[in-house]
């Protein structure tokens, strides 16, 4: 039995018990397909960044089986982005309650029952791109001829192929490894393909109109960390915005959801109104199109960070407890700003250490405005030298 990457002790014990009960299922594992399938179903139920880090793996599948129908199951928050992924056919929406963040979501049992209703499509291959016993159960319930996923969140015995998830490597690399393992029987090594999003042209036109005539450089800023444990102080974002306006004569584009308008407004008061544009509240597709037209995004470890990467826009990201080895964007011009501490990165995002709750954790408090502006200066300088935005790498 492979090691479980579950840091909640009670949850880990429950999954260990479930894996012991499921162990006999390993004896019924089927042989992998020896030729390219006609239909593939992929699960990626988690948040924005999780789906976007799966783009290289989905591109690998598409290259290995170019004629296959490639369908995707995502949370409703990701449906618009899922439809912009090259080669994806049907997009099924299923919201898990443990991921819904204030929205109503399904229980694990309800999700498995929903997955069973997909049996009628007779998928050749079903793949779960997240290490989680619940979504492994969903993958098995689809009734595909062959199934694959990860064992490190439990439920590996339910699948025909279950790889360990290496927590010391980037999430994208783990997902690509799974895609290569799945395709090994029918393709030696899929050719590299572009894994950027393909945005709707009407959405691109709206973004172009919104930023028409805006002075360059155009720097997007996403100030909401998503969770308190990942929140760099707003007053430091304000200092960075002021520096961008005064030292770089930049236009600052504030992104986010409707709920981010209030913190955005606080920061906007620190810079001249003519240099600030608030686009909070637009859909993810339009947000991606706006980011595509920006020279740079300044953010924490957030979904928009991965969205910018997916459209080729450089990123300066402030990292605290999150492990950049697992989550950082890897564009040629991307920069991660963080400090070294014995406890960081702890990667305890969902269950932070008690001493870090209720205030900015030390790993973020130690990141200075000067360090962030220096990274921005470096990126903008490199873009000026090259005459445009840099290419990205997976």
């Amino acid at each position: 039995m492979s090691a479980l990457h579950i840091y909640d002790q009670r949850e880990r014990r429950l999954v260990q018990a479930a894996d012991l009960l499921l162990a006999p299922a390993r004896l019924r594992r089927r042989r992998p397909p020896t030729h390219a399938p006609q239909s593939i179903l992929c699960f990626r139920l988690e948040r924005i960044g999780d789906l976007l880090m799966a783009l290289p793996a989905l591109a690998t599948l598409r290259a290995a089986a170019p004629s296959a129908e490639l369908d995707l199951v995502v949370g409703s928050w990701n449906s618009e982005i899922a439809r912009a992924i090259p080669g994806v056919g049907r997009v099924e929406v299923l919201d898990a309650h443990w991921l819904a963040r204030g929205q109503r979501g399904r229980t694990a049992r309800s999700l498995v029952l929903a997955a069973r209703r997909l049996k009628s499509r007779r998928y050749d291959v079903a793949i779960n791109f997240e290490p989680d016993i619940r979504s492994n159960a969903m993958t098995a319930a689809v009734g595909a001829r062959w199934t694959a996923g990860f064992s490190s969140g439990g439920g590996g015995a339910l699948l025909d192929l279950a790889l360990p998830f290496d927590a010391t490597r980037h999430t994208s690399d783990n997902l690509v490894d799974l895609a290569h393992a799945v395709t090994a029987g029918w393709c030696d090594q899929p050719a590299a393909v572009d894994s950027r999003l393909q945005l709707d042209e009407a959405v691109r036109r709206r973004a172009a109109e919104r930023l028409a005539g805006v002075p360059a450089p155009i720097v997007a800023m996403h100030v909401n960390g998503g969770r308190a444990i990942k929140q760099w102080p707003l007053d430091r974002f304000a200092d960075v915005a002021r520096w961008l306006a005064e030292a770089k004569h930049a236009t600052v584009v504030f992104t986010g959801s409707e709920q981010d308008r209030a913190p955005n407004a606080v920061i906007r008061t620190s810079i001249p109104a003519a240099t600030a544009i608030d686009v909070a509240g637009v859909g993810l597709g339009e947000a991606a199109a706006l980011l595509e037209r920006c020279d740079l995004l300044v953010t924490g470890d957030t979904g928009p960070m991965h969205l910018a990467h997916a459209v080729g826009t450089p990123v300066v990201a402030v990292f605290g407890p999150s492990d950049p080895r697992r989550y950082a964007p890897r564009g040629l011009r991307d920069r991660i700003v963080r400090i070294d501490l014995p406890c960081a990165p702890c990667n305890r995002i969902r269950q932070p250490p008690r001493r870090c709750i209720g205030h900015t954790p030390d790993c973020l408090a130690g990141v200075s405005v000067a360090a962030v502006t220096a990274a921005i200066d470096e990126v903008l300088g490199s873009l000026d030298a090259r005459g445009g935005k840099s290419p990205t790498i997976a």
Side-chain angles (χ1 to χ4, degrees):
M1 184 183 299
S2 64
L4 296 176
H5 299 157
I6 303 172
Y7 50 71
D8 181 277
Q9 293 185 10
R10 180 177 176 274
E11 183 180 344
R12 186 166 61 249
R13 286 195 294 268
L14 288 172
V15 173
Q16 285 172 337
D19 273 356
L20 288 172
L21 293 172
L22 293 169
R26 290 191 180 89
L27 301 175
R28 300 193 295 273
R29 284 180 168 167
R30 297 160 293 185
R31 293 181 179 179
T34 56
H35 54 83
Q38 294 302 304
S39 57
I40 304 171
L41 179 67
C42 298
F43 287 84
R44 195 55 164 150
L45 299 180
E46 295 193 6
R47 303 304 301 183
I48 298 168
D50 301 294
L51 173 61
L52 292 169
M53 285 187 287
L55 293 182
L58 292 168
T60 299
L61 292 174
R62 190 174 70 253
S67 63
E69 179 181 345
L70 179 61
D71 296 347
L72 185 58
V73 183
V74 299
S76 59
W77 41 85
N78 275 333
S79 60
E80 189 175 1
I81 288 297
R83 293 184 175 91
I85 298 175
V88 168
R90 290 190 185 96
V91 174
E92 298 289 340
V93 172
L94 291 174
D95 289 355
H97 76 82
W98 59 90
L99 298 169
R101 292 190 189 175
Q103 301 164 256
R104 297 183 67 180
R106 294 173 180 258
T107 64
R109 181 177 182 275
S110 175
L111 288 168
V112 171
L113 292 174
R116 287 183 64 183
R117 289 195 284 272
L118 299 176
K119 271 189 172 184
S120 62
R121 295 187 187 162
R122 300 179 181 275
Y123 286 102
D124 293 320
V125 175
I127 305 167
N128 181 22
F129 279 122
E130 50 206 45
D132 191 296
I133 190 171
R134 295 161 294 194
S135 45
N136 277 350
M138 293 174 65
T139 306
V142 167
R145 292 183 176 86
W146 196 71
T147 57
F150 294 103
S151 59
S152 305
L158 295 168
L159 308 174
D160 296 308
L161 171 69
L163 301 183
F165 189 98
D166 186 348
T168 67
R169 299 179 64 222
H170 200 281
T171 297
S172 286
D173 291 340
N174 277 281
L175 306 189
V176 168
D177 285 350
L178 178 58
H180 281 153
V182 167
T183 61
W186 71 76
C187 181
D188 291 335
Q189 186 73 24
V193 293
D194 190 353
S195 59
R196 293 191 190 189
L197 294 175
Q198 291 183 348
L199 302 177
D200 181 80
E201 286 304 318
V203 172
R204 276 194 166 121
R205 284 195 297 272
R206 287 201 300 271
E209 290 167 1
R210 195 153 192 169
L211 296 181
V214 168
I218 306 173
V219 179
M221 182 174 285
H222 188 84
V223 304
N224 188 345
R227 298 175 184 268
I229 192 66
K230 296 198 298 181
Q231 184 64 59
W232 198 48
L234 291 182
D235 61 338
R236 299 191 191 182
F237 272 113
D239 288 342
V240 172
R242 187 180 304 109
W243 176 84
L244 282 166
E246 295 175 355
K248 295 296 179 182
H249 307 290
T251 300
V252 184
V253 178
F254 293 93
T255 64
S257 65
E258 288 288 351
Q259 289 71 32
D260 295 322
R261 288 190 180 277
N264 286 353
V266 171
I267 296 174
R268 287 175 62 188
T269 60
S270 65
I271 61 178
T275 65
I277 300 174
D278 193 343
V279 298
V282 302
L284 274 183
E286 188 167 350
L290 287 163
L291 287 171
E292 187 179 44
R293 300 191 69 82
C294 292
D295 296 293
L296 172 68
L297 170 68
V298 181
T299 181
D301 169 29
T302 63
M305 174 186 76
H306 295 288
L307 195 59
H309 178 73
V311 296
T313 296
V315 174
V316 169
V318 178
F319 267 61
S322 303
D323 190 344
R325 293 179 305 172
R326 294 179 64 175
Y327 304 119
R330 297 185 291 180
L332 297 177
R333 297 285 182 265
D334 295 337
R335 296 293 181 270
I336 303 303
V337 187
R338 59 179 298 271
I339 62 168
D340 287 317
L341 291 176
C343 58
C346 67
N347 218 48
R348 293 183 58 180
I349 308 303
R350 294 181 181 175
Q351 292 187 345
R354 185 174 300 176
R355 63 184 178 80
C356 296
I357 297 175
H359 61 90
T360 303
D362 293 344
C363 54
L364 282 173
V367 177
S368 68
V369 170
V372 173
T373 56
I376 294 171
D377 212 15
E378 182 181 352
V379 174
L380 292 179
S382 70
L383 297 182
D384 288 343
R386 292 292 183 96
K389 289 192 296 190
S390 64
T392 57
I393 56 175

